[in-house]
Amino acid sequence: MFLETERLIIRSLKAEDIPALQDYYIRNRDFLQPWEPLRNESYYSRESLANMVKAEEIEEIRRKAFRGYLFLKETSQKIIGFTGLTNIQSAYDQSARVGYKLDKQYINKGYITEALVSLISFGFQTESLHRLEAHVMPKNLASQRVMEKLHFKKEGVSLHFRKINGAWEDHILYALINSGVEI
């Protein structure tokens, strides 16, 4: 995947990006922990991250997932987050899940919204998806604001949906339907 916005390059990773990915995860380990599964130390190794990038490449080739890492145009070597579509269903569903993370130094600057606008366009126009879903923890007020800003509609709560930071957490289900109107 390769997308470009006013301030960002959003692209799949290559083997030479593994050090930058490791730097991103180590830099943001404590910041991301409340929103992610518990991670053991081996998760942060270059070997583990290289395997993750290889798996992402296979999923992209199979058109089952697209993960785009965020790079500022001005400093294109540093990963500041990612956004992606996973669990892509074709045929009669034509749907996918939206996910994203951002470096603690870059929050509240509009980067995720900017990246998601591009990702939504990619999903609806390029991949011909009909429905995008996002799951947000009730205590994640910033992500709820992003969903509302992008016109995702709240559909309900998925109880004990994901094991986050060692505990099963409820998630609010948001959805956006491809109505042919640009965001």
Side-chain angles (χ1 to χ4, degrees), residues 4-82:
E4 192 170 346
T5 69
E6 181 181 334
R7 301 179 293 170
L8 300 169
I9 298 292
I10 306 165
R11 65 171 176 82
S12 304
L13 293 187
K14 302 173 233 152
E16 57 265 24
D17 295 313
I18 302 304
L21 182 61
Q22 184 181 40
D23 176 63
Y24 168 81
Y25 274 113
I26 290 171
R27 218 175 43 242
N28 289 283
R29 181 187 299 198
D30 294 338
F31 175 69
L32 294 173
Q33 190 57 62
W35 316 109
E36 295 195 327
L38 291 175
R39 308 275 192 211
N40 60 34
E41 198 59 36
S42 67
Y43 179 83
Y44 301 96
S45 72
R46 286 193 182 179
E47 180 182 2
S48 174
L49 295 172
N51 289 336
M52 182 174 75
V53 168
K54 184 65 176 163
E56 289 170 1
E57 180 183 350
I58 292 167
E59 287 294 285
E60 185 169 333
I61 291 168
R62 295 177 56 222
R63 304 195 87 67
K64 293 296 180 185
F66 296 95
R67 180 169 288 183
Y69 290 83
L70 310 181
F71 297 84
L72 294 175
K73 284 184 175 177
E74 62 205 39
T75 57
S76 62
Q77 300 305 310
K78 181 180 178 183
I79 295 171
I80 67 161
F82 79 80

Side-chain angles (χ1 to χ4, degrees), residues 68-134:
Y69 290 83
L70 310 181
F71 297 84
L72 294 175
K73 284 184 175 177
E74 62 205 39
T75 57
S76 62
Q77 300 305 310
K78 181 180 178 183
I79 295 171
I80 67 161
F82 79 80
T83 187
L85 299 173
T86 60
N87 199 31
I88 296 175
Q89 304 294 312
S90 53
Y92 63 91
D93 279 358
Q94 293 177 275
S95 65
R97 285 190 184 156
V98 173
Y100 50 90
K101 295 180 192 178
L102 192 63
D103 187 303
K104 63 186 171 194
Q105 295 178 321
Y106 297 92
I107 61 171
N108 298 320
K109 293 179 168 65
Y111 291 118
I112 284 298
T113 300
E114 185 176 326
L116 286 174
V117 166
S118 186
L119 181 74
I120 290 165
S121 176
F122 172 79
F124 285 166
Q125 295 173 11
T126 305
E127 293 302 308
S128 301
L129 296 174
H130 172 68
R131 175 185 171 90
L132 299 176
E133 295 180 351

